[in-house]
Amino acid sequence: MNTLEALNTRRSVRAYKPDAVPAEALDKILEAGTYAPTGMGRQSPIIVAITDKEVRDRLSALNAKIMGADTDPFYGAPVVLVVLARKDIPTHVYDGSLVMGNLMNAAHELGLASCWIHRAKEEFELPEGHELLATLGLDADDYEGIGHCILGYADGDEPAPKPRKEDYVYRIA
């Protein structure tokens, strides 16, 4: 699959098998995330890779609570990659968003499904989020949650693409 094909065929998946993601594939996806463009090359984002089921489930419950639901907002995905970025860098939200894109596109290239799940900002403003980052030696006050990239094998067919809207692109020639 070439880059343009990957970009045109990746879809957000919302049903996952419990099967583990091979470590080699996960390492490649994480590496792709580290090569996302960042403002002035400052590399403000960090990626927290969660494969521990207990931690994943605690984070899922916290995310669901913020959302006001009692379902799994991670749709059963066995891997959650949390992207955060340094608040003191003016481009941190954009930088983290580009990391999210790289993670999802790399996953697709490797035959894995993914989806961007929101509410990372709110999670890491709470004491539970602070505690999780503290276990990694990070000060949560320095970071803003950008998003969760959930990964795994799709449980069923990937969704069909929605038609592109007609007024997506405007040209000035």
Side-chain angles (χ1 to χ4, degrees), residues 5-43:
E5 182 182 356
L7 293 172
N8 289 337
T9 60
R10 193 208 72 78
R11 300 288 169 261
S12 293
V13 172
R14 292 177 178 83
Y16 292 82
K17 296 177 182 177
D19 306 358
V21 171
E24 181 180 311
L26 182 55
D27 289 345
K28 288 179 181 180
I29 293 164
L30 291 166
E31 182 179 20
T34 70
Y35 278 92
T38 60
M40 304 291 292
R42 290 187 186 115
Q43 301 179 38

Side-chain angles (χ1 to χ4, degrees), residues 3 36 39 61 74 85-86 100 111 114 128 160 165:
T3 303
F74 300 149
R86 290 193 57 84
M100 288 289 295
S114 67
E128 297 92 333
K165 63 183 184 177

